[in-house]
């Protein structure tokens, strides 16, 4: 089956002229005449016959004309690139994998955008238990958001925002008074965040270069748990914050809501890049385009991302 024959048949029956049909399809009259001959053989009907200086359709051609036009319209719709989805008409549930702090920072803005633009969209947040597994490839999650360093080779990755780590303490903590030095920071009790229970990280490497070592009293699997413990005790935890000169980051909202004091660390720590990853089968999908755009707005815009 040759779809070009359907297109040629539609042009011939609509124009009732080999010359005009050729012009419509931007080909030569000779080529269109050969195509008409092929159509006559396949359909076993002359289709267009001479009547003086013009050509007139046969009864079979008249019967085929509307159907040929409909087939060509359907082919055009089938082969036309997607124009995107209307968020207002979406009825979808998207699954996002994030760390708890990233999920807490994103959820308010994403839910607001969904309510305003895509009320039929629901969001399912999953923790990082599927990290380092082919969850994007398998379709178990639609989007992974966080520090992306373990994806499959074909996975698409986009950097969203770069943040720095600051020290967080409760109001009245001794570190909140006076200048913060590496020695004072090392003397305080710390909690770390690690799903694997690790007690060390980049801060320990930076302190070691000054001959210092901190005391970690607990390793917690959750940023929110670490910040809650910090708000209630005399420990220090690390919190992501915007780079100097950048707009405030939603990733700091929870620490602010808990009343934590954020202190610049007087040591060179590596920045942290937050990105999102998705499988290429969703790259051109209109609904996923809306989702990714909403994530960009929610994580980069302080306050109301819908404005």
């Amino acid at each position: 089956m040759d779809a070009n024959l359907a297109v040629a048949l539609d042009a011939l029956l609509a124009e009732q002229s080999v010359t005009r049909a050729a012009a419509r399809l931007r080909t030569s009259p000779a080529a269109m005449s050969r195509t008409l001959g092929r159509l006559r053989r396949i359909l076993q009907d002359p289709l267009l016959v001479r009547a003086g200086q013009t050509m007139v359709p046969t009864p079979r051609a008249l019967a085929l004309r509307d159907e040929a036009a409909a087939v060509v319209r359907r082919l055009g719709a089938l082969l036309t690139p997607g124009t995107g989805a209307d968020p207002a008409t979406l009825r979808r549930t998207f699954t996002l994998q994030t760390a708890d702090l990233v999920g807490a920072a994103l959820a308010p803005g994403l839910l607001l955008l969904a309510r305003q633009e895509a009320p039929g969209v629901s969001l399912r947040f999953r923790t990082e238990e599927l990290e380092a597994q082919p969850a994007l490839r398998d379709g178990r999650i639609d989007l992974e958001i966080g520090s992306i360093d373990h994806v499959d080779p074909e996975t698409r990755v986009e950097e969203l925002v770069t943040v720095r780590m600051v020290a967080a303490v409760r109001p009245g903590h001794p570190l909140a008074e006076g200048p913060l030095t590496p020695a004072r920071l090392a003397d305080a009790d710390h909690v770390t965040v690690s799903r694997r229970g690790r007690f060390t990280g980049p801060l320990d490497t930076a302190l070691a270069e000054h001959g210092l070592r901190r005391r970690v009293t607990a390793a917690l699997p959750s940023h929110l748990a670490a910040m809650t413990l910090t708000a209630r005790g005399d420990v220090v935890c690390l919190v992501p914050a915007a780079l100097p000169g950048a707009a405030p980051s939603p990733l700091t909202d929870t620490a602010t809501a808990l009343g934590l004091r954020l202190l610049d660390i007087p040591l060179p720590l590596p920045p942290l890049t937050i990105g999102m990853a998705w499988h290429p089968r969703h790259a051109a999908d209109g609904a996923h385009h809306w989702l990714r755009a909403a994530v960009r707005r929610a994580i980069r815009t302080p306050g109301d991302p819908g404005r």
Side-chain angles (χ1 to χ4, degrees):
M1 297 179 65
D2 188 346
N4 290 321
L5 287 178
V7 175
L9 177 63
D10 174 51
L12 286 163
L13 298 184
E15 301 293 344
Q16 297 183 27
S17 164
V18 170
T19 301
R20 290 195 299 270
R24 176 172 169 172
L25 298 184
R26 298 179 182 178
T27 188
S28 68
M32 184 57 67
S33 181
R34 290 193 295 270
T35 300
L36 175 58
R38 187 179 175 190
L39 285 166
R40 285 167 169 167
R41 290 191 298 272
I42 292 173
L43 297 174
Q44 299 181 13
D45 188 271
L47 298 175
L48 296 173
V49 297
R50 181 70 58 184
Q53 298 298 315
T54 63
M55 300 189 78
V56 295
T58 66
R60 178 77 188 281
L62 290 174
L64 290 174
R65 185 164 54 190
D66 291 344
E67 182 62 24
V71 167
V72 171
R73 285 195 300 271
R74 289 197 294 270
L75 281 172
L78 178 65
L79 299 177
T80 298
T83 57
D86 179 3
T89 64
L90 290 179
R91 297 294 182 271
R92 296 280 291 272
T93 296
F94 292 111
T95 300
L96 289 74
Q97 177 174 288
T98 72
D100 63 333
L101 180 60
V102 177
L106 279 175
L110 282 179
L111 291 175
L112 176 62
L113 289 171
R115 185 166 62 249
Q116 293 174 341
E117 302 173 8
V121 164
S122 298
L123 300 171
R124 177 189 295 115
F125 287 87
R126 297 190 63 166
T127 58
E128 296 171 297
E129 76 271 13
L130 297 178
E131 188 177 59
Q133 300 183 37
L136 289 169
R137 176 185 289 173
D138 296 346
R140 285 175 287 170
I141 61 174
D142 295 294
L143 205 60
E144 180 177 352
I145 307 165
S147 179
I148 310 295
D149 57 3
H150 51 265
V151 295
D152 297 314
E154 74 272 17
T155 300
R156 307 283 180 88
V157 179
E158 175 184 333
E159 293 184 359
L160 293 171
V161 64
T162 299
V163 296
R164 62 192 175 113
M165 303 307 291
V166 298
V169 296
R170 65 167 179 81
H173 189 284
L175 288 185
E177 302 298 330
L180 181 62
T181 64
R184 292 187 68 208
L185 183 61
D187 285 341
D189 289 339
H190 292 251
V191 293
T192 63
V193 178
S194 171
R195 296 189 314 282
R196 299 176 179 87
R198 294 173 179 168
F199 279 74
T200 60
L203 178 57
D204 299 279
T205 302
L207 287 171
E209 293 181 357
H210 291 262
L212 300 171
R213 183 177 180 181
R214 65 173 174 163
R215 179 172 181 267
V216 177
T217 61
L220 301 175
S222 160
H223 293 86
L224 299 181
M227 287 189 286
T228 301
L229 179 60
T230 300
R232 296 177 178 177
D234 286 331
V235 293
V236 182
C237 73
L238 300 186
V239 171
L243 296 176
S249 172
L251 294 170
T252 316
D253 287 351
T254 300
T256 302
L258 288 171
L260 296 178
R261 292 282 305 277
L262 304 182
L263 310 174
D264 290 333
I265 296 175
L267 294 166
L269 297 183
L272 176 66
T273 297
I274 304 297
M276 63 178 169
W278 64 94
H279 194 271
R281 66 173 172 274
H282 297 311
D285 181 69
H288 278 258
H289 270 288
W290 176 86
L291 174 64
R292 295 195 294 271
V295 168
R296 293 184 196 104
R297 292 155 64 189
I299 201 167
R300 293 173 179 166
T301 307
D304 181 357
R307 292 185 300 185

